Amino acid sequence: MLITGPQNLTDIIYAPKPAAKAGYAIQVAEETSGGAEASDNPPDWGTVLPTANVTAGQQQSTKCQSCHSFAKGGADMTGPDNWGVIGRKPGTKPGFAYSDAMVAFGKTIAGWDYDHLYMFLKNPQEYISGTKMTFIGIKSPEDRINLIAWLRQQSDSPAPIPPPNPKKAAAEVGPSSAPGAVTGSKRASG
């Protein structure tokens, strides 16, 4: 008894604890800018999409590829295939088992648009409480803009780029420090 007692006590103290949710939390180190965090609202898409760095957006998509495919007719994985995601109604891709939260969210909007994707990709679980998507999010506004520009091209019929909104663009702090400011020479075509 003296020999097995300490072993049993060790097993109790160090027993593995089951995960609260199925899936993996994928944390990605994000670059941060010094100072207080600026307001992170969706940018003027008519201004930022034409100059977004699509190549950088494709690089951002590698963070998503462990759970999503982006090919036309691609297989659903842990998450649904995201070919043609912009414009698609959330929670409606045939054959994929969405969370109740995503289905309910899909009933509130016509389809994934630039603004909703921008906010969802920042912190999926905060934006849609109860989503099965456990990804920690992409904190950098520029990285989200570039990813959305690349996602836009993953479609048979890319969503149109809205005309620039001078009032919204003028509200941004400055060309290099605005939350929606994008650098790079690759343009979002289409």
Side-chain angles (χ1 to χ4, degrees), residues 158-185:
I161 296 174
N165 179 343
K167 288 181 183 178
K168 189 170 187 175
E172 294 179 355
V173 176
S176 62
S177 61
V182 179
T183 59
S185 59

Side-chain angles (χ1 to χ4, degrees), residues 43-112:
D44 172 25
W45 294 105
T47 301
V48 299
L49 277 178
T51 59
N53 187 331
V54 176
T55 301
Q58 183 175 14
Q59 291 170 342
Q60 285 297 315
S61 76
T62 62
K63 296 174 185 177
C64 313
Q65 291 176 350
S66 62
C67 296
H68 296 279
S69 64
F70 299 95
K72 183 175 181 176
D76 292 332
M77 299 166 63
T78 303
D81 174 51
N82 279 336
W83 176 265
V85 70
I86 297 177
R88 183 168 69 210
K89 193 164 189 58
T92 63
K93 184 177 180 298
F96 188 79
Y98 289 95
S99 66
D100 291 342
M102 185 62 73
V103 172
F105 178 71
K107 292 177 181 177
T108 67
I109 66 172
W112 283 114

